[in-house]
């Protein structure tokens, strides 16, 4: 897909398993397991699906997946596929990590920024040596000092090095990154998450990040147990689903194991899923 000056390309950087109950909050398992079947430890499959925006002079990566800095215990808990990560996924798509000019981080949870840094002879370094990294200031501040409930989701080795190396740029609120890319700030899942909106005069796609990780989260009450402010998530979903239905946006899903993209439409039951796509055609 081409939007403005950018060609959009999916970079699938891995698969993990997370507790199905946590992924669907108050929704009973007989409902969610129809679309997202659980394994014998009640985990459902998540992709870490990243988006690459390519123009004549830029290669912009949205989120960086889990990375490779995991011990055996964590690999088992999160069912991390050791064969795949963002660097390998880029190389398989003919892109060298050195070519990435910008990394737009939706937030600093480990499954979104784990691949931002790498270990090189025991030293932590930015995984994309020529890139500027961008995250919301509010999310960075929360990540440096999270609550006792959510501190397990923020692992400092994934972002402190970016500060030390002077490559992490803190964004304060909703901005236009350029004429085609803008940041939309939401606060239900965590504080200061930013969704990435890419648009031109004919097409809009929204990288939903953890507002709606799966296509099945298009249903309003399907809100993750991880969310710090679930009622804010409900309001944010209503706002962005209405915009998407009214203005024919494409929604891009970072964690759905099967579908990268969906559209939505108005119906008698409210806004519902319309078309789904495995990837750009
Ligand atoms: Zn998250």
């Amino acid at each position: 897909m081409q939007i403005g000056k950018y060609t959009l390309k999916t970079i699938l950087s891995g698969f993990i398993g997370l507790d199905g109950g946590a992924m669907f909050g108050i929704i009973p398992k007989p409902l969610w397991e129809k679309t997202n079947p659980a394994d014998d430890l009640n985990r459902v499959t998540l992709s870490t699906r990243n988006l690459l925006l390519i123009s004549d002079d830029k290669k912009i990566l949205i989120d960086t997946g889990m990375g490779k800095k995991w011990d055996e215990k964590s690999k088992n808990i999160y069912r991390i596929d050791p064969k795949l990560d963002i660097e390998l996924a880029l190389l398989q798509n003919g892109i060298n990590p050195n070519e990435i000019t910008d990394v737009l981080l939706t937030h600093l949870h480990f499954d979104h920024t784990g691949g931002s840094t790498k270990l090189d002879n025991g030293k932590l370094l930015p995984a994309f040596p020529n890139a500027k990294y961008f995250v919301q200031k509010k999310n960075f501040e929360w990540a440096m000092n999270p609550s006792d409930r959510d501190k397990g989701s923020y692992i400092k080795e994934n972002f402190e090095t970016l500060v030390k190396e002077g490559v992490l740029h803190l964004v304060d609120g909703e901005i236009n990154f350029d004429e085609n890319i803008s940041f939309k700030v939401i606060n239900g899942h965590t504080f200061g998450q930013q969704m990435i909106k890419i648009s031109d005069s004919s097409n809009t796609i929204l990288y939903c990040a953890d507002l709606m990780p799966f296509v099945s989260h298009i249903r309003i009450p399907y809100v993750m147990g991880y969310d710090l402010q679930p009622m804010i998530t409900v309001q944010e979903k209503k706002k962005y689903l209405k915009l998407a239905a009214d203005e024919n946006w494409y929604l891009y899903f970072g964690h759905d194991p099967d579908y990268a993209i969906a559209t939505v439409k108005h119906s008698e039951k409210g806004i519902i899923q319309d078309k789904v796509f495995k990837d750009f055609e």
Side-chain angles (χ1 to χ4, degrees):
M1 176 180 264
Q2 184 78 23
I3 296 186
K5 63 185 176 185
Y6 293 107
T7 304
L8 281 64
K9 194 171 173 57
T10 291
I11 305 291
L12 188 60
S13 62
F15 290 96
I16 56 173
L18 292 181
D19 187 83
M23 286 303 294
F24 291 103
I26 63 167
I27 304 302
K29 184 173 179 181
L31 296 181
W32 60 250
E33 74 176 352
K34 288 184 205 162
T35 50
N36 298 83
D39 69 9
D40 54 356
L41 294 176
N42 207 45
R43 293 170 300 193
V44 295
T45 301
L46 287 79
S47 62
T48 56
R49 183 181 291 106
N50 309 109
L51 191 51
L52 184 66
L53 314 176
I54 304 168
S55 70
D56 288 343
D57 57 348
K58 290 201 160 191
K59 289 192 175 69
I60 302 175
L61 181 63
I62 301 177
D63 284 346
T64 62
M66 294 284 283
K68 284 197 283 208
K69 307 180 297 298
W70 294 96
D71 59 24
E72 287 306 312
K73 184 181 167 193
S74 300
K75 280 181 190 167
N76 288 329
I77 291 173
Y78 300 123
R79 215 181 63 200
I80 300 168
D81 177 355
K83 293 190 292 295
L84 192 58
D85 79 315
I86 187 68
E87 288 189 68
L88 183 61
L90 283 166
L91 289 169
Q92 286 172 346
N93 281 278
I95 308 284
N96 190 296
N98 296 337
E99 296 174 58
I100 300 296
T101 57
D102 305 83
V103 178
L104 311 182
L105 296 169
T106 59
H107 61 308
L108 297 172
H109 279 167
F110 61 66
D111 53 326
H112 294 259
T113 194
S116 294
T117 64
K118 64 176 180 184
L119 276 169
D120 190 10
N121 286 325
K123 191 174 186 284
L124 274 171
L125 291 173
F128 305 99
N130 298 313
K132 293 178 180 172
Y133 292 69
F134 297 86
V135 74
Q136 284 288 320
K137 179 170 180 277
K138 197 158 103 176
N139 189 249
F140 172 73
E141 286 169 352
W142 185 261
M144 291 300 288
N145 194 18
S147 74
D148 288 336
R149 178 171 182 249
D150 69 330
K151 67 183 178 190
S153 300
Y154 288 108
I155 302 173
K156 293 197 169 103
E157 66 179 14
N158 292 331
F159 48 88
E160 265 185 338
T161 304
L162 306 177
V163 180
K164 280 194 203 117
E165 300 288 330
V167 295
L168 187 65
H169 298 256
L170 301 180
V171 182
D172 201 356
E174 298 199 334
I175 61 157
N176 294 329
F177 184 76
D178 65 16
E179 69 267 35
N180 295 124
I181 300 172
S182 58
F183 300 157
K184 300 293 168 195
V185 177
I186 49 176
N187 294 291
H189 174 62
T190 184
F191 297 103
Q193 181 178 200
Q194 57 186 2
M195 296 186 291
I196 314 297
K197 182 182 169 195
I198 307 127
S199 61
D200 62 14
S201 53
S202 40
N203 285 306
T204 294
I205 192 162
L206 182 70
Y207 190 91
C208 297
D210 281 349
L211 178 69
M212 292 178 284
F214 296 151
V215 170
S216 46
H217 287 106
I218 288 171
R219 301 177 182 100
I220 297 293
Y222 283 55
V223 171
M224 287 191 284
Y226 298 112
D227 286 18
L228 298 181
Q229 306 191 89
M231 290 306 293
I232 301 291
T233 300
V234 166
Q235 289 170 19
E236 290 167 345
K237 283 173 71 172
K238 285 183 172 174
K239 173 182 170 179
Y240 282 100
L241 285 168
K242 181 173 188 314
L243 281 166
D246 288 349
E247 300 179 10
N248 298 313
W249 294 4
Y250 294 98
L251 299 173
Y252 192 92
F253 294 85
H255 288 310
D256 194 288
D258 300 314
Y259 299 108
I261 301 158
T263 58
V264 291
K265 63 182 178 186
H266 290 281
S267 78
E268 286 169 5
K269 292 179 182 170
I271 291 170
I272 57 168
Q273 171 187 328
D274 187 9
K275 300 188 185 95
V276 289
F277 306 91
K278 286 192 174 295
D279 199 352
F280 299 110
E281 286 164 335

